[in-house]
Amino acid sequence: MLALHNLSKAFRTEDVETTALNAINIDIAAGEFVAIMGPSGCGKSTLLNIIGMLDSPSGGSYKFKGEEISQYSEAKLADLRKVNLGFIFQSFNLIDELNVFENIELALLYHGIPVRERRTRVEVVMEKVGISHRSTHRPAQLSGGQQQRVAVARAVVSNPALILADEPTGNLDSQHGGEVMELLRGLNREGTTVVMVTHSRVDAGHAKRVINLLDGHVMAEGLRAHSEAA
């Protein structure tokens, strides 16, 4: 699905150049569940932003579905994101003034989908993540775990090929964090590709492959033992 070859990212000011990513080579196939791990400042979030087409590399190649996109304009990247990607963030990023249904539906408003189909798709995905009974509640009326379920529903309602999750359990207790990880595993079993940045070895244990970063380099990667038996 995506291939990064000799990819680099540098941030420049008038006086300093900082290399966030250096000579990154990663291939992720359709249907994988990959966790990216490493200490703070190692380049995890920068890498996820580039994979998510929110930022562009300074050098190297990024192929998405076989298409070189490293030099695409922001407008072309936005079109690719809209069709192919769903995002899940640590901070939920729900809109306080909208209820659960409306927060999820928002992800479909820019796709030109008729009202009736939008309603059906939102209802289906709310049922899938177990939040239908809260459809008319606003974020402030929900627990952290319920808010993240809404965020997961919003990410998947447009049927993206790739889900990008940035510390998806970072603001949750262990029980609710485990529930969110099971949701992600379930989506992956159904065929959705998942790439997740995490500090948690427990969360990384749900992935099929773990990539370890240090100082902007890939230091190690390997399959999880449980995934080979799955």
Side-chain angles (χ1 to χ4, degrees):
M1 171 173 281
L2 62 91
L4 312 178
H5 178 67
N6 206 29
L7 186 137
S8 65
K9 179 64 178 181
F11 296 99
R12 298 176 178 88
T13 66
E14 288 185 2
D15 303 315
V16 179
E17 177 175 301
T18 303
T19 299
L21 298 173
N22 190 9
I24 298 292
N25 292 285
I26 295 173
D27 293 300
I28 296 177
E32 281 201 271
F33 187 161
V34 177
I36 300 172
M37 297 192 72
S40 296
C42 72
K44 300 188 304 298
S45 294
T46 300
L47 179 58
L48 197 71
N49 284 341
I50 290 175
I51 292 173
M53 307 174 201
L54 298 171
D55 200 357
S56 298
S58 302
S61 169
Y62 177 12
K63 290 184 178 180
F64 185 78
K65 294 186 174 180
E67 188 174 352
E68 178 61 58
I69 67 169
S70 59
Q71 301 303 317
Y72 270 18
S73 68
E74 172 54 35
K76 291 188 74 173
L77 291 174
D79 287 340
L80 274 178
R81 281 197 304 270
K82 181 171 68 175
V83 174
N84 292 285
L85 305 184
F87 294 88
I88 302 169
F89 301 99
Q90 177 178 346
S91 58
F92 315 140
N93 288 356
L94 303 179
I95 297 176
D96 293 337
E97 293 76 20
L98 302 181
N99 64 30
V100 166
F101 185 100
E102 292 164 341
N103 265 283
I104 299 169
E105 184 186 30
L106 193 63
L108 299 174
L109 293 181
Y110 303 105
H111 289 262
I113 297 171
V115 173
R116 183 175 296 178
E117 183 181 346
R118 290 205 308 268
R119 183 180 300 115
T120 298
R121 288 172 70 163
V122 173
E123 289 172 349
V124 168
V125 78
M126 285 194 304
E127 183 68 28
K128 177 181 288 189
V129 304
I131 203 71
S132 297
H133 63 297
R134 296 285 194 174
S135 64
T136 60
H137 290 67
R138 294 189 177 184
Q141 298 172 294
L142 306 176
S143 69
Q146 289 169 335
Q147 289 187 57
Q148 194 62 300
R149 285 174 177 269
V150 177
V152 171
R154 181 186 57 194
V156 303
V157 71
S158 59
N159 298 320
L162 173 63
I163 293 289
L164 299 176
D166 190 359
E167 299 284 0
T169 68
N171 285 332
L172 303 176
D173 60 32
S174 58
Q175 177 184 339
H176 289 116
E179 291 172 357
V180 168
M181 292 310 304
E182 283 301 321
L183 284 174
L184 291 178
R185 286 191 71 180
L187 291 167
N188 179 246
R189 291 189 198 102
E190 294 172 2
T192 303
T193 308
V194 179
V195 178
M196 173 182 67
V197 160
T198 183
H199 283 97
S200 168
R201 293 189 179 279
V202 173
D203 288 357
H206 291 273
K208 297 177 182 177
R209 181 158 60 109
V210 177
I211 297 171
N212 290 283
L213 293 186
L214 182 64
D215 297 333
H217 296 271
V218 174
M219 299 303 294
E221 61 177 295
L223 294 173
R224 302 292 301 177
H226 77 79
S227 68
E228 297 172 355

